Amino acid sequence: MKIAMSWFNDYVDLSDIPPKEFADAMTMSGSMVEGVESLGAEIENVVTGKILSVEKHENADSLQVCMLDIGGQMLQIVTGATNVGEGQIVPVATHGAKLAGGMSIKKGKLRGVVSEGMLCSHEELGITAAELGYEPEYGILILDGGTPVGVDIKEVFGLNDNVAEFEITSNRPDCQSVIGLAREAAVTFGRPFSLPVPAAQGNKENVADLARVDVLDQAYCPRYCARMIKNVKIAPSPAWLVRRLQASGIRAINNIVDITNYVLLEYGQPMHAFDMRDVAGAHIIVRRARDGEMITTLDDQQRKLDASMLVIADGEKAVAVAGVMGAQNSEVKPDTAVILFESANFDGASVRITAKKLGLRTEASSKYEKGIDPSLTEAAVNRACQLVEELGIGEVVGGMIDVCGKLPPARSLTLRPEKINAFLGAQIDTAFMIKTLNALGFGVDEAAMTVSVPSYRADVESEADLAEEIVRIYGYNNIKSTLMAGEITKGGKNAGQKLEDKVKAAMAAQGLYEILTYTFTSPAVFDKLRFPADSPKRNVVSIQNPLGEENSIMRTTTLASMMEALERNYSQRNEAVKLFEIGRVYLPQPEQTLPDEKNIVTLGMYGGVDFYDIKGMVEELFDSIGVKVYSFTPAADQSAYHPGRCAMITIGSDRAGYVGQAHPDVCDAYGISEACYLAELSFDALSGAADNAKTYKKLPKYPAVSRDLALLADDAVLAGDIAQIIEKAAGKILDSIKLFDVYKGPQIPQGKKSMAYSVTLRAADRTLTDQEIGKVMDKILESLECSAGVKLR
Amino acid sequence: MKEQLEQIKAQSMQELESATDLQGLDEIRIKYLGKKGALTSVLRGMGALPPEERPQAGALANQARAAIEAAIEQKDAQLSGQARKAQLAGETLDVTMPGRRHKAGKLHPLTQVLDDVKDIFIGMGFSIAQGPDVELDYYNFEALNIPKNHPARDTQDTFYIDENVVLRTQTSPVQVRVMEKQKPPIRIIAPGMVYRSDAVDATHSPVFHQIEGLVVDKGITMGDLKGTLEVFAHALYGADVKVRFRPHHFPFTEPSAEMDVSCFVCGGEGCRVCKGEGWIEILGAGMVHPKVLAGCGIDPEVYSGFAFGLGLERVTMRRYDIDDLRLFFENDVRFLKQF
């Protein structure tokens, strides 16, 4: 919200406060000033001058040479304009002047004649016709004959004003107005605040005899005030009024509409003016719209209403959407002669919903939404009438229509200074508290220590609110900073949080980069990942109002996010990319309002890696977090994976996830023409199995013996099975088994593979004898042959 | 015999003189001292001497042997030194060639900054709390003093799952969940993802991260709020930064504040980063609203507390001078490698 700062001076004298100081102090007392813009900042060294003579230029027919008095100094200026004449007062840009748009003026010669500056048009001063209030003739701006000579042009046009932009928080609708902010400024700077009660004289008639207002829905319209103006002379508003509106970003329209906007800014009370010719039977009815009722609003749009919306109507038709926008059918026109000013209080929630449904947020609706003091309606309509009289643009009819329901009573709160000080950790004088509250418009009963809250401060509901009122004026930064006393808390991370850190460290140590991805996704990912039509993962939490289809469901798998990250890197030609994520999936549960949210550790990579690399990373992860009992078994049923290159990971006896090569169709779907490898692990499974307990095992005293075995096995025999057989056969003295070569080729029969193992044996308490070793090796071979048909090569 | 020994000695010394490598030296050793060497055959000939000459001849022979051995040893040392030197000279590497690295990966920059924030608060006795992303409207709004149709709901464009379930628009609902479950003293931070219906651009994302903080205990004051958050600001931005608190509004705190730190680019002079203000807004905070406490079954007459919240992306963007929010979720390794 932007306000011309000079406006505040109508209520509190701030004229001596520099804009920067104003902005800082207001910000620190709670009315955030986002910036102060100096209106005429661009304009420098332009003064009013009186044209003493005009002569033809000796060398150019199209130019004239003027002599000017700019207040004790004579200047000769050459101009091309034709509308200048002796005796006129004009704006004169002197040597060194700066004009709108960054133009600068210097002394010089024009066709051989010295020119000591330039005469200016309104555009060169950055002043619009609307701000002038009239369309000036083409050429130099001719000022009013009574304008003094030699004064800064910024003074003449109010361009020395500053415009402050405020960011008002939603709890302070009262500060959405000049008066509300002036009150804040007065308290902030400790200056007197004067708020005259606006009054219009009015004629001898009474509006109640000329018009009637019926409010049929008092809940939606707690108060409706109206006054009438006759003999209206529709015309442009005076320049000062236009400038104030424009500073706030409101376009001037005509004097009556401008007055409603002026009062909106000044009081924060939206108003509307109806042309009485268009109000059938001079009867205003405030009622709910009928379902499907149509109205053409002032912005020329036809809008369909429904019964949840409040309209202002006459006996025949709606003439405004209450609190949002008026209708074209009753707008103020150039020949409007009689108007009715509406100054009403509408229910904020209802206005908000109506504005939202119509897609029509207006200055008025956004004010109503935040809640407006119902006592404002009367002052606002009187202020509008006062302005009509001051500007002499119509005859105010006596009296006011005021349809008023029961207004909420003034709230009373207890003030406990010691409690407030304890709460703030401060020692603020009671006297300061009382003075501050009084200045903010609260009534303080010093005997009872009760505070009555003014009607414009509906936000103040409790003692904590009073504390805030006091401390923001006292100064947040005057409160001494302290460190918490009281019971010591242990703090720190819990086991799961520590494990998360460990998993991340283990992944990074293996060369993987952590990614973070959106947790909502598109329903199309299930097809891209080849999930079967009946996959339970297609049962999702859907967003009612997504930004788009691509972000419309909460993910039930992290694979899509990982594939997207790989896709992005692949399209950027990043080679050999290895990524991981710990992120949530959202699994709807029957009988539960909220889905289960589970953390999944996801690995994804391409380039220079194969299945055994990613499997090794998973194993290394298990090792570093202390997961000891796990196994990998072939899983051909995971449709996102290569059917022959995917393993289910089991930890203990629980399925913990999968690791494998992404199905080539999946890679194709993501536009990656390299093999991608993926792994997904349930964080809960890791967390359940991770065991940090470690016990030192004595270093071996006796030597180990290694024997190599070259085995011939059927292709179908799994290395995992062979390892299990060897482990079982070797028993306690097995130190380690290492598969160091797998070979298929000419020397190997079709359907078989050669597997070379190194088996290391060691006893903890003795050196093994050749005999013992021979016996164990025989047993191993025997078991291999009879359990898996595996023979020595 | 004596002449013979002298001759062997002289000859061997001469040969040693001209030996140029260890192999040559070895040949000399064998030639003179070996089993079939010159000196050995002389010694072997001693048996032919009369017994009374033998001791003298023996002594002479031993002298000659010792002399040759000493000379060989000396030469050996000299030649070995030369050989090692030559070997080393041949092994010279171009040490400016790149090292062979085992490339470790890295944690996401948001994780790294979050870890710093966690460490600071853990140092002050805070624990870490978590809550669901898919949240009840009650926790996200109503329990935080934001009833239906409250204007604050408009500024937080909410994704709805249904009438009563939303994607949380803030991490503040974790405050309520913690207060419902845990008796004071409470000191927690709750980092997490939040969701707002904002279209993606350089400064907006429908998904971002907040870090919520909550302290509830007997006798917690606004001075404590300031002191705690000042410690945080100084730990994160350095002891030199100035900190200020401005009044603000949040429905669930009263009084409410925003904390600014002096611009760490210009030091408060005013620059592009702080938009000429000299201050940069870091977080929102306030004393927990008595209604919120009471709603969680905590008596506001006995207990008080403060809460705060900050945006992780903003803090991270400022720390690393990142100008586009989208980079965080694009996960391009060329970006991730930089932190």
Side-chain angles (χ1 to χ4, degrees), chain B residues 15-33:
Chain B
E15 280 182 36
L16 276 174
E17 195 65 32
S18 55
T20 54
D21 56 25
L22 289 168
Q23 201 190 339
L25 186 66
D26 217 38
E27 281 164 12
I28 295 167
R29 189 197 321 270
I30 294 161
K31 185 173 174 188
Y32 294 98
L33 303 177

Side-chain angles (χ1 to χ4, degrees), chain A residues 352 416 461 465 468 476-477 479 481-482 489 492 497 508 514 516 519 544-545 569 572 574 584 586 597, chain B residues 105-106 108 111 125-126 128 131 133-134 149 154 158 160 195 223-224 226 230 254 256 331-334:
Chain A
R352 176 172 171 272
R416 296 176 293 176
E461 299 177 306
D465 297 303
E468 180 174 74
Y476 278 17
N477 297 302
I479 299 243
S481 298
T482 48
T489 48
Q497 291 155 357
E514 187 192 12
L516 291 173
T519 44
Q544 270 186 349
N545 56 335
N569 278 285
Q572 297 297 316
N574 295 333
R584 292 182 184 183
Y586 306 82
E597 299 189 9
Chain B
K106 282 172 177 174
H108 196 280
T111 301
F126 284 67
I128 297 164
D133 293 358
V134 182
N149 291 319
D154 270 359
T158 311
Y160 282 91
Y195 303 79
D224 294 337
K226 286 183 62 192
E230 277 169 14
E254 189 76 35
S256 301
N331 298 306
D332 188 319
V333 286
R334 292 169 302 172

Side-chain angles (χ1 to χ4, degrees), chain A residues 586-631:
Chain A
Y586 306 82
L587 311 172
Q589 302 296 318
E591 317 282 310
Q592 251 178 243
T593 314
L594 298 181
D596 277 357
E597 299 189 9
K598 297 287 184 193
N599 267 316
I600 305 293
V601 181
T602 314
L603 283 66
M605 56 198 68
Y606 66 77
V609 285
D610 66 15
F611 173 84
Y612 297 105
D613 286 305
I614 190 167
K615 184 184 172 193
M617 290 171 192
V618 171
E619 291 170 311
E620 191 62 25
L621 168 67
F622 288 168
D623 188 52
S624 62
I625 62 175
V627 171
K628 297 180 185 93
V629 184
Y630 56 86
S631 63

Side-chain angles (χ1 to χ4, degrees), chain B residues 17 27 69 175 180 182 187 215 261 292 295 323 325 328:
Chain B
E17 195 65 32
E27 281 164 12
E69 273 176 355
Q175 282 185 34
E180 280 184 353
Q182 190 185 331
R187 288 185 194 181
V215 169
V261 298
V292 174
D323 56 3
L325 188 57
F328 289 127

Side-chain angles (χ1 to χ4, degrees), chain A residues 460-507:
Chain A
V460 175
E461 299 177 306
S462 68
E463 199 171 39
D465 297 303
L466 293 181
E468 180 174 74
E469 292 307 302
I470 292 160
V471 74
R472 69 187 177 85
I473 303 302
Y474 178 75
Y476 278 17
N477 297 302
N478 293 326
I479 299 243
K480 197 168 159 252
S481 298
T482 48
L483 287 180
M484 297 175 277
E487 215 171 306
I488 299 290
T489 48
K490 183 163 68 78
K493 294 178 184 175
N494 64 24
Q497 291 155 357
K498 284 180 187 160
L499 180 65
E500 201 176 312
D501 288 354
K502 270 187 148 177
V503 170
K504 287 181 180 177
M507 298 295 26

